[in-house]
Amino acid sequence: MGTLTEFLSNAVNYIKLVGVSDIIDIAIVAFVIYKLIGFIKKTNLMHVFKGLVVILVVLWLSGVLKLTMINWLLKNIVELGLIALVIIFHPELRRFLEKVGSSRITGIFGGEYKALNVETAITQTVLACADLSRTRTGALIIFERDNQLAEPISTGTLLNADVTAELMKNIFFVKAPLHDGAVIIKNGRIAAAGCMLPMSGNMNLSRDLGMRHRAGIGVSEKSDAVAVIVSEETGAISVAVDGMLKRHLSSETVETLLRKELVPITEGKSKNKLLRIFKGDKNG
């Protein structure tokens, strides 16, 4: 009982020593670790990370048990392994740094994505894709989020127009001058059309994927953008997020996915509440 009391007393004393700067320090480290774990899960680093943890545990045990030869060998393996990891996973690390470098401050620290007219843009995009799918007209539509797409936007024709299904269909009409490039939607408006995008560097992609699909996957790998692709060959609609492609989707599924990725829950609730207030709904 005395030991427990002493432990609790020491714990209280340590807590009293914690200041505001210590709390900020701990919060930042926790945030970085959380983001790092999320990055590892989205890449091929998970198995490597597990192997590295096992090696570090064995290294620690060899030090405790004074296994000199094994400890020396593992230390050298770890030192060389870190260099090898940087070389082997250079593309993943580069994508991670590009995302960080192109993020707005609010995006880095998890700020909510707030864009005007996003819900309308989603509805009109889904309507356009449904018609484009029926006529088997190829299309590539990119929704910008926290990572700015200034460079791809600069390669296209600036429009700064409202998102409407009719405008989308006109842009991607086969004989239209901008139909081969991508449409980039920024803050719920069409920022530019006919934009050129980076191709995916993933060597494991299916061979039946065309240039539009590879460009859509590529921009979602290098940023947090969401890409909607309509196949010219089959009319199938696909969505690419974080380098992952979901294919052969219905219009309803596309709309659900876009709302999940682009419209924050809190923003949606606040909008509905405002609508009820303007309509004079006293029960809201």
Side-chain angles (χ1 to χ4, degrees):
M1 188 66 182
T3 306
L4 179 60
T5 305
E6 185 181 351
F7 171 78
L8 292 174
S9 177
N10 290 333
V12 171
N13 290 332
Y14 279 122
I15 292 173
K16 288 180 179 178
L17 293 174
V18 176
V20 176
S21 59
D22 297 314
I23 295 173
I24 294 173
D25 190 22
I26 293 169
I28 291 174
V29 171
F31 175 80
V32 170
I33 293 173
Y34 170 76
K35 287 293 184 181
L36 185 61
I37 292 173
F39 170 68
I40 289 171
K41 285 183 177 179
K42 290 178 182 178
T43 62
N44 298 321
L45 288 170
M46 181 53 76
H47 295 297
V48 177
F49 179 72
K50 290 178 180 178
L52 186 59
V53 170
V54 172
I55 292 174
L56 291 175
V57 171
V58 175
L59 177 61
W60 174 74
L61 288 174
S62 66
V64 172
L65 300 174
K66 301 193 182 300
L67 303 175
T68 309
M69 182 62 71
I70 295 177
N71 188 267
W72 176 85
L73 184 62
L74 289 175
K75 279 184 178 178
N76 284 278
I77 289 174
V78 170
E79 289 176 2
L80 294 173
L82 291 174
I83 298 173
L85 285 176
V86 172
I87 296 172
I88 294 171
F89 292 98
H90 170 258
E92 284 83 1
L93 293 172
R94 180 179 176 181
R95 283 200 296 270
F96 174 73
L97 293 174
E98 283 178 344
K99 285 187 178 183
V100 173
S102 61
S103 293
R104 300 184 184 97
I105 298 299
T106 55
I108 295 173
F109 291 98
E112 292 182 352
Y113 171 67
K114 297 179 181 179
L116 299 173
N117 304 321
V118 172
E119 291 193 25
T120 301
I122 291 172
T123 301
Q124 293 298 314
T125 297
V126 172
L127 290 173
C129 288
D131 287 342
L132 293 169
S133 175
R134 280 192 288 270
T135 58
R136 293 193 178 184
T137 304
L140 177 54
I141 303 162
I142 310 300
F143 284 87
E144 181 191 84
R145 289 200 280 184
D146 288 325
N147 299 146
Q148 298 185 56
L149 302 176
E151 186 174 344
I153 288 174
S154 67
T155 65
T157 300
L158 299 179
L159 296 180
N160 189 26
D162 291 334
V163 181
T164 65
E166 293 303 319
L167 178 56
M168 289 280 207
K169 289 187 287 184
N170 284 331
I171 290 173
F172 290 112
F173 179 65
V174 178
K175 294 183 180 180
L178 301 176
H179 80 280
D180 275 335
V183 163
I184 296 180
I185 297 176
K186 179 184 178 75
N187 294 335
R189 292 175 62 80
I190 298 177
C195 302
M196 298 295 105
L197 301 175
M199 294 292 167
S200 172
N202 188 346
M203 303 300 292
N204 297 319
L205 294 178
S206 175
R207 292 184 178 181
D208 64 340
L209 294 178
M211 300 286 280
R212 282 192 182 90
H213 290 83
R214 293 178 184 275
I217 297 170
V219 74
S220 73
E221 287 175 343
K222 294 178 171 60
S223 71
D224 63 351
V226 178
V228 182
I229 309 108
V230 180
S231 171
E232 187 174 347
E233 288 75 22
T234 65
I237 307 174
S238 306
V239 175
V241 183
D242 291 327
M244 303 296 293
L245 184 68
K246 298 180 180 180
R247 306 177 66 186
H248 305 290
L249 305 176
S250 66
S251 298
E252 293 77 13
T253 304
V254 172
E255 184 167 7
T256 301
L257 277 172
L258 292 180
R259 289 187 181 280
K260 178 183 176 183
E261 295 294 335
L262 301 171
V263 182
I265 295 174
T266 53
E267 185 178 328
K269 287 182 178 178
S270 62
K271 283 185 176 181
N272 291 334
K273 189 172 183 180
L274 284 172
L275 284 173
R276 288 197 297 271
I277 291 171
F278 281 122
K279 289 179 179 179
D281 185 357
K282 295 181 181 179
N283 295 323

